[in-house]
């Protein structure tokens, strides 16, 4: 099993979409953000309950998916919880899809629906802050780091599938 994470799901969203259709893993990609508990809750969580409550729900979903066979795609902040990292590392190979802030900003675009980027004058500047804050957590969590800068989605997907087939 693989567990994939990146900052603000910038590379992950496109990679998950393509992975879901890739022959060897078709139907085996489980996106934490698509789980009913998270999807229903995420729409207004930051306004009504705050990030801490969202992280609790996210952790519950990660624990539920830990026994599933396939590739689990987490939210960008999942690595901030020591408990999440323990579950992720003990049940699969954790893959960090890394990129520089400018690349991340291009991938997230207008950042619609991303509460941590809302109200930022510059998505790139805010992503640089988030990446700086989380870098050590990603480094501790990841078994494998994939640099996605200047790489096409197909190339990244092929590398992830290669890791999955050898895990």
């Amino acid at each position: 099993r693989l567990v994939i994470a990146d900052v603000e799901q910038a590379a992950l969203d496109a990679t998950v979409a393509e992975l879901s259709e890739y022959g060897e893993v078709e139907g085996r990609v489980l996106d934490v953000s698509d789980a009913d508990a998270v999807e229903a809750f995420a729409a207004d969580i930051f306004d009504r309950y705050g990030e801490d409550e969202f992280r609790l729900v996210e952790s519950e979903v990660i624990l539920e998916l830990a026994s599933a066979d396939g590739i689990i795609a987490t939210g960008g902040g999942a690595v901030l919880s020591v408990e999440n990292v323990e579950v992720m590392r003990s049940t699969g190979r954790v893959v960090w899809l890394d990129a520089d802030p400018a690349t991340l900003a291009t991938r997230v675009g207008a950042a619609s629906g991303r509460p941590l980027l809302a109200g930022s004058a510059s998505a790139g500047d805010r992503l640089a802050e988030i990446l700086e804050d989380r870098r050590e957590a990603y480094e501790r969590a990841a078994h494998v780091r994939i640099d996605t800068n200047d790489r096409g989605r197909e190339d990244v997907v092929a590398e992830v599938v290669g890791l999955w087939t050898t895990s």
Side-chain angles (χ1 to χ4, degrees), residues 7 101 126-136:
V7 174
R126 180 64 183 123
L127 285 163
E129 292 171 10
I130 292 170
L131 184 57
E132 182 178 329
D133 291 345
R134 294 180 180 176
R135 180 168 297 284
E136 286 183 21

Side-chain angles (χ1 to χ4, degrees), residues 21 29-30 71 79 98 101 114 138 141 149:
E21 299 172 2
V29 179
L30 308 165
I71 298 175
V79 299
D98 189 18
R114 297 180 190 269
Y138 277 102
N149 289 303

Side-chain angles (χ1 to χ4, degrees), residues 3-83:
V3 180
I4 306 174
D6 80 340
V7 174
E8 285 298 301
Q9 291 185 277
L12 193 56
D13 289 342
T15 303
V16 165
E18 188 147 329
L19 272 171
S20 297
E21 299 172 2
Y22 205 90
E24 296 177 62
V25 296
E26 185 174 1
R28 296 177 124 172
V29 179
L30 308 165
D31 188 345
V32 169
S33 67
D34 285 342
D36 290 340
V38 174
E39 190 171 38
F41 200 56
D44 65 351
I45 186 163
F46 284 81
D47 290 337
R48 296 179 72 187
Y49 304 103
E51 183 178 2
D52 291 343
E53 187 66 23
F54 173 77
R55 296 294 172 209
L56 290 173
V57 174
E58 180 182 55
S59 294
E60 290 172 12
V61 173
I62 288 170
L63 190 57
E64 287 175 24
L65 294 179
S67 62
D69 180 31
I71 298 175
I72 299 169
T74 71
V79 299
L80 299 176
S81 161
V82 172
E83 292 81 11

Side-chain angles (χ1 to χ4, degrees), residues 101-118:
T103 299
L104 294 171
T106 300
R107 290 180 180 153
V108 300
S112 175
R114 297 180 190 269
L116 294 179
L117 300 182

Side-chain angles (χ1 to χ4, degrees), residues 85-96:
V85 172
E86 288 173 0
V87 168
M88 291 160 38
R89 286 185 62 89
S90 67
T91 60
R93 188 185 302 178
V94 179
V95 178
W96 171 23

